[in-house]
Amino acid sequence: MAHLALYKLELLDEFESRTDAWTFADFERRLSQLRPTTNYHDAKGIINAAHKEGGWPKAVKQYLLTNYKVHGNVSSEFTDTFADVVAAMTDAEKQAWGVA
């Protein structure tokens, strides 16, 4: 099990508990507020690490699906994580997000 820095845990916990329609850009912006030297590449690593740890499923799913919705795909760093998330979705969810 990987060990995530405290600011990463706080970020993931914050977004896991949110009930609004936040996007990957909100996550990346908040990360930059917590750690000004970070960027979207760091956010990608945090999302993949969260998935590998098996925690924060809502945050991982929301980040990836909103990213997919904007770009029409996900970057290669997310191939396995995205495949796992999509595999766990219902057919109705897949259709709603355009990943069916």
Side-chain angles (χ1 to χ4, degrees):
M1 179 183 269
H3 297 285
L4 296 173
L6 183 58
Y7 77 94
K8 294 176 183 180
L9 296 173
E10 290 173 355
L11 177 68
L12 288 163
D13 288 345
E14 176 183 331
F15 279 84
E16 185 71 13
S17 66
R18 284 180 64 166
T19 58
D20 63 325
W22 62 269
T23 70
F24 73 99
D26 297 315
F27 185 94
E28 292 170 359
R29 193 170 16 263
R30 182 68 177 126
L31 173 59
S32 292
Q33 290 171 345
L34 294 171
R35 285 282 200 244
T37 60
T38 60
N39 61 40
Y40 71 96
H41 291 291
D42 299 299
K44 290 178 179 184
I46 292 169
I47 291 298
N48 278 329
H51 180 69
K52 285 179 185 172
E53 287 210 11
W56 311 279
K58 290 176 11 183
V60 169
K61 182 178 181 180
Q62 186 75 8
Y63 181 97
L64 290 173
L65 290 173
T66 59
N67 185 283
Y68 178 85
K69 188 173 184 178
V70 168
H71 299 291
N73 60 27
V74 293
S75 63
S76 61
E77 296 95 337
F78 289 132
T79 301
D80 294 338
T81 302
F82 188 68
D84 290 347
V85 167
V86 171
M89 293 169 66
T90 66
D91 289 339
E93 284 179 304
K94 290 176 188 174
Q95 187 173 15
W97 283 99
V99 295

